[in-house]
Amino acid sequence: MSAAVLPAPIGRRRRRGPGGASVTAGWLFILPNLLGFLAFTLIPLVSGIGISFTDWNVVSGLSGIRFVGLDNFAGLLKDAEFWQAVGRTALYAGVGVPLTMIGGLIIGLCLNGPVFGRSALRVIFFIPHIVSSIAIGFVWLLLLHPSSGLVNLALQATGLAHPPTWLVSQDWALASLILITSWAGMGFHAVIYLSALQALPEDLYEAAELDGAGPWHRFTTITWPSLMPTTTFLAIMSMIGHSQGFGLIAFLTQGGPGDSSTTLSYLMYQNGFQYYRFGYAAAMGIMSFLGVLLLSAFFWRFQRGRGLYS
């Protein structure tokens, strides 16, 4: 008779996760990401909330921090410049997000068909998403030059005597930024939409074709409802990106001409790093964060129950 196997002493047992994996090893695997989250997300967020209740110009050091309570937030409610920047940001995102998503969806639908070199085209469309915003801005700065840019030269060749002056015009600067930002983001949206389209079951389309459904009817009853979760994700990500848009604005227009392209993110930069009003700039950041959070919750709640598989 074989000897009974006795359990190991309780004091010597090693903690194990699902499947017998070591819990310590699991923590070691996530430690780099956890440290990055703490250093670049959680600590700055908590610090920003704390600074928003102070009057601090940084130059005076930590000893110069003065607690002012809700004065910064009360000042924002009466600040006309702040509300004008909020309006420009709403216009910037309100036009740019749908334009980016519609363009990305159209490109994704085109690439989902029998297109030669689809993999290469996917990479080409995705390149603007990974290229530096400074490089994108430099290219468009040349294209939209008022007198020698290729865009205006092409418009003049078609007979338009006085084409727009784009980035140096108060009437066209924000519209130019919307077009550039949308162009740069369409490739990312197209790749995500294409991945979602390729995951759709073909039998649904075959059944709809047998029932006599045309292309538009198949899109509205199968494709679009199936893409609702993807669309919600892209809408939230695009809205966050537009609300935080800074690089192209700083490089191309510096918030001008005048303040025609000064969005909320650029106004925060001006208050924090030009006027040294870090408490006031932090309060703007908190207000922007709350606005994006509420809109994200609205989008997420709106799409619930509207998808094909809901």
Side-chain angles (χ1 to χ4, degrees):
M1 181 180 296
S2 58
V5 178
L6 298 177
I10 296 177
R12 296 181 182 177
R13 287 182 182 174
R14 301 178 65 182
R15 295 183 61 191
R16 297 284 178 178
S22 171
V23 174
T24 304
W27 278 105
L28 289 176
F29 274 112
I30 69 171
L31 183 60
N33 189 56
L34 183 61
L35 292 176
F37 172 76
L38 290 174
F40 299 108
T41 302
L42 185 61
I43 293 177
L45 177 62
V46 174
S47 301
I49 294 174
I51 293 173
S52 67
F53 297 105
T54 67
D55 180 15
W56 185 37
N57 62 8
V58 178
V59 179
S60 59
L62 296 179
S63 60
I65 298 178
R66 184 169 62 88
F67 181 76
V68 295
L70 296 175
D71 287 357
N72 288 327
F73 295 94
L76 287 177
L77 296 178
K78 299 179 291 185
D79 190 346
E81 187 178 19
F82 167 75
W83 289 110
Q84 289 171 1
V86 170
R88 292 188 204 99
T89 305
L91 180 62
Y92 182 60
V95 177
V97 171
L99 187 61
T100 305
M101 297 185 65
I102 291 172
L105 178 59
I106 292 173
I107 296 172
L109 290 171
C110 293
L111 292 179
N112 193 43
V115 179
F116 175 76
R118 180 168 58 184
S119 299
L121 289 173
R122 186 188 307 183
V123 173
I124 291 172
F125 282 116
F126 193 71
I127 285 176
H129 179 69
I130 60 177
V131 172
S132 167
S133 60
I134 302 301
I136 293 175
F138 184 75
V139 171
W140 280 99
L141 197 62
L142 297 177
L143 291 174
L144 297 179
H145 191 277
S147 58
S148 60
L150 291 178
V151 174
N152 277 4
L153 290 177
L155 291 175
Q156 288 173 348
T158 62
L160 186 62
H162 302 287
T165 50
W166 303 113
L167 295 168
V168 296
S169 167
Q170 289 192 355
D171 297 327
W172 285 95
L174 188 60
S176 302
L177 288 170
I178 291 173
L179 292 174
I180 295 170
T181 306
S182 300
W183 171 85
M186 284 181 187
F188 172 76
H189 286 67
V191 170
I192 300 299
Y193 269 129
L194 180 59
S195 300
L197 288 167
Q198 291 178 338
L200 297 183
E202 291 292 333
D203 54 349
L204 293 177
Y205 291 96
E206 294 172 359
E209 265 190 276
L210 291 175
D211 289 340
W216 176 251
H217 190 66
R218 292 198 300 270
F219 174 80
T220 55
T221 57
I222 300 176
T223 305
W224 180 246
S226 301
L227 293 177
M228 187 62 71
T230 304
T231 300
T232 303
F233 164 75
L234 289 175
I236 293 174
M237 295 300 295
S238 184
M239 181 178 59
I240 293 173
H242 278 76
S243 67
Q244 296 177 344
F246 173 78
L248 286 173
I249 298 174
F251 181 76
L252 293 173
T253 64
Q254 294 82 48
D259 59 356
S260 59
S261 61
T262 300
T263 59
L264 191 54
S265 61
Y266 196 78
L267 185 64
M268 279 188 278
Y269 161 76
Q270 288 180 319
N271 276 271
F273 295 96
Q274 292 183 1
Y275 311 144
Y276 296 103
R277 303 172 64 192
F278 274 80
Y280 202 64
M284 289 185 189
I286 299 302
M287 296 288 281
S288 176
F289 169 77
L290 291 176
V292 172
L293 182 64
L294 291 175
L295 286 174
S296 301
F298 169 78
F299 279 126
W300 188 258
R301 181 66 184 87
F302 177 79
Q303 68 91 27
R304 289 182 61 184
R306 297 176 183 272
L308 185 64
Y309 304 107
S310 300

